[in-house]
Amino acid sequence: MESIPLVHASLGKRELAAVAEVFASGWPAGQGPRGKALEAQLVERYAVGDAVAMCNAGAALHASLLALGVKPGDEVIVADYGFPAPAHAVRYLDAIPVCADVRADTGTIDPQAVADLVTPRTVGVIAVDTVGIPADYVELQAVADRHGLFLIEDAACAVGATYRGREAGSLAEVGVLSFHGRKGASSGEGGALLAADPKVGADARLLASFGIGSIFDMGKVVGLPIPEFTRIGHNYKLSDIAAAILQVQLDRVDELLARRDAVATQYGELLADEELLTVPYTPEDRTHAWQTYMVTLDPGVDRAAVATELRAKGIGCGHGTFATHVQPVFKSKQTCPVSAELFRRHLAIPMHAELGTSQVERVAEALRGAVRAHAAATGVRGGTA
C-alpha cells in the first residue's frame, strides 16, 4: 500500500536550476549575492525595515533577543504551546522564559495570560503563530505597549498566513520565519529575521556573522580591507545555495499555500460530523498557513493506539506540537492547563502541498475508523469495552 507521509517538501526543477546557477557563480557560501537578493525580496514582500537571512529560525530568535538587549535574569514571556524554540532562545542568554497559556480554540498565546504574568523583571513577549495560525496581535501589542515590552512574532510555521490583512512575520517589531522542510516555503533548513527598525536588522546581521561585516562586500573594495571583530557573534549565515532555493519558493508561496488550503478544506468537509474529534478552527480575521493539520481527539480516545493503527496503514501522523512548561529542561514554575490539554489530545495528520484528493479521502476514512475503534466505553459513539 502506498504510504502517505506526514510532511513533504515541494521542491522541483526550478529550485534545482537556481542551485545550478549558484554552483556556476563560484559563491555558494553565506551573505553572497543570492542571500542579499533574498533579503531584498523579503523586505519588499513583508514591507519591513530590514530582513536578515539566517541558517534557521532558532538562530533568528537568538539574534532577535541579542539585538533587543535581553540580559541574564530578564524575564521573557513565551507562548507555551508550540515547538519550544522561543524558550530555548531565552535560556541561551541566561534569561528566564515564562510560559503563558493559550487559547483553547486556536492554540495561540492568550493575551490575558500574558498580561497576568508581567512583573518588574519582564522585558518582552514572544508570541507564536501556532502551526500556522497567527496569534492575537492587536491585543498582544496593547499589553506590550502598556508595560513597555518588546514583542517578537515567531512566525516560523506561518509563511503565507495573514492577520487582519497583514502578512504573518510582519505583525510585531521583530518577526522570525522558518524555511524548514515542512514549511510553506522551504530550503530544507533556513530562517530569517524581519525587523521594523533597520538598526535592529543591522545589529542582528552583525551578530549572525561572528561580529564582522560581510566578507562578500569587502571583496568588492579596492585594496585589502581587514575585518575587525567588533562584537562576540555567531555563525548563523544562510548559504547562497539555500537562498537561491528560497527565492524560487517565495515566488511559489501563493500556489503552494492554495494547495494546502484545499487539503484543509477537504479534511474539514470529510471530518466535520465526526463526534470523536474536532477539526481546526480559524477566526474570520486571519488565514492559516497549514504547516500542520491537527485534529483534537475526544478525551476518551486512545491517541497512541490511533497513531499506531494509522502508521500500520502507511499513514504518517504525530502528536502535534509541544507544551513547553512540561518539558524537563525548562523546570518551569508555570502551569498552563489549556496547553497541557492540547498537548495530550492533538493529533497531526498528513498535510503538504503534494497530497491528492484520493489520499486525503484515505486518511480521513482511516482516521474515522481508528478513533471509533479506540474510544473508551463511556457512552462515546464507537467505543468498546
Side-chain angles (χ1 to χ4, degrees):
M1 184 179 294
E2 177 197 16
S3 64
I4 303 176
L6 179 65
V7 299
H8 183 83
S10 299
L11 301 170
K13 293 181 179 179
R14 287 182 60 194
E15 288 82 0
L16 281 173
V19 170
E21 290 176 5
V22 175
F23 286 1
S25 76
W27 189 280
Q31 293 189 328
R34 295 306 289 261
K36 291 182 177 298
L38 171 65
E39 290 177 346
Q41 188 175 355
L42 289 168
V43 167
E44 181 177 2
R45 179 184 178 95
Y46 290 93
V48 291
D50 197 5
V52 186
M54 294 192 189
C55 56
N56 56 60
L61 281 169
H62 186 200
S64 298
L65 295 175
L66 286 167
L68 291 169
V70 174
K71 303 183 297 299
D74 286 344
E75 292 180 355
V76 179
I77 298 172
V78 300
D80 190 69
Y81 196 54
F83 193 82
H88 278 275
V90 174
R91 287 289 295 274
Y92 294 160
L93 300 176
D94 290 325
I96 302 167
V98 178
C99 298
D101 211 350
V102 298
R103 290 175 48 167
D105 55 357
T106 62
T108 56
I109 191 168
D110 182 348
Q112 186 57 54
V114 172
D116 292 344
L117 290 168
V118 175
T119 75
R121 297 172 66 184
T122 306
V123 297
V125 180
I126 304 178
V128 175
D129 298 339
T130 312
V131 301
I133 186 166
D136 301 287
Y137 285 96
V138 169
E139 293 89 343
L140 289 167
Q141 192 63 63
V143 174
D145 290 345
R146 187 160 64 245
H147 296 283
L149 311 175
F150 65 72
L151 177 61
I152 295 174
E153 178 190 7
D154 180 348
C157 302
V159 173
T162 62
Y163 172 78
R164 301 191 179 188
R166 295 172 57 200
E167 191 109 17
S170 65
L171 303 174
E173 60 190 287
V174 176
V176 169
L177 305 177
S178 173
F179 305 118
H180 178 269
R182 71 185 300 177
K183 310 302 182 185
S186 172
S187 53
E189 288 284 0
L193 180 154
L194 307 177
D197 184 348
K199 293 181 180 178
V200 172
D203 198 28
R205 183 175 288 103
L206 195 65
L207 291 163
S209 58
F210 284 116
I212 59 175
S214 168
I215 300 298
F216 178 77
D217 287 344
M218 291 179 193
K220 299 178 181 179
V221 177
V222 176
L224 183 62
I226 300 176
E228 287 189 339
F229 292 84
T230 58
R231 301 282 299 275
I232 296 296
H234 303 267
N235 188 11
Y236 286 162
K237 301 184 297 296
L238 182 73
S239 75
D240 259 32
I241 295 171
I245 294 171
L246 284 171
Q247 284 192 275
V248 177
Q249 286 275 291
L250 285 173
D251 282 340
R252 299 180 61 201
V253 162
D254 292 342
E255 162 211 339
L256 297 176
L257 184 55
R259 292 191 209 168
R260 287 177 181 255
D261 198 55
V263 171
T265 298
Q266 189 180 0
Y267 275 141
E269 293 170 349
L270 292 171
L271 297 170
D273 63 345
E274 178 51 64
E275 297 175 10
L276 293 171
L277 61 81
T278 304
V279 298
Y281 165 70
T282 305
E284 292 184 0
D285 64 353
R286 66 204 75 181
T287 62
H288 208 305
W290 300 115
Q291 182 222 257
T292 304
Y293 192 93
M294 297 191 303
V295 295
T296 308
L297 301 183
D298 183 274
V301 174
D302 184 338
R303 182 176 64 171
V306 170
T308 298
E309 182 171 327
L310 291 178
R311 289 172 176 172
K313 294 179 177 180
I315 295 171
C317 59
H319 68 270
T321 191
F322 296 88
T324 299
H325 78 285
V326 303
Q327 304 308 316
V329 69
F330 300 117
K331 300 177 182 177
S332 176
K333 298 178 182 178
Q334 286 73 47
T335 57
C336 301
V338 176
S339 177
E341 183 70 3
L342 295 177
F343 184 43
R344 284 190 292 266
R345 294 173 55 195
H346 269 157
L347 180 74
I349 58 177
M351 169 53 77
H352 51 82
E354 306 307 314
L355 283 171
T357 300
S358 62
Q359 290 177 309
V360 175
E361 290 173 347
R362 182 179 146 204
V363 172
E365 181 180 4
L367 178 60
R368 275 186 183 275
V371 296
R372 292 176 182 182
H374 301 291
T378 56
V380 180
R381 181 167 57 84
T384 58

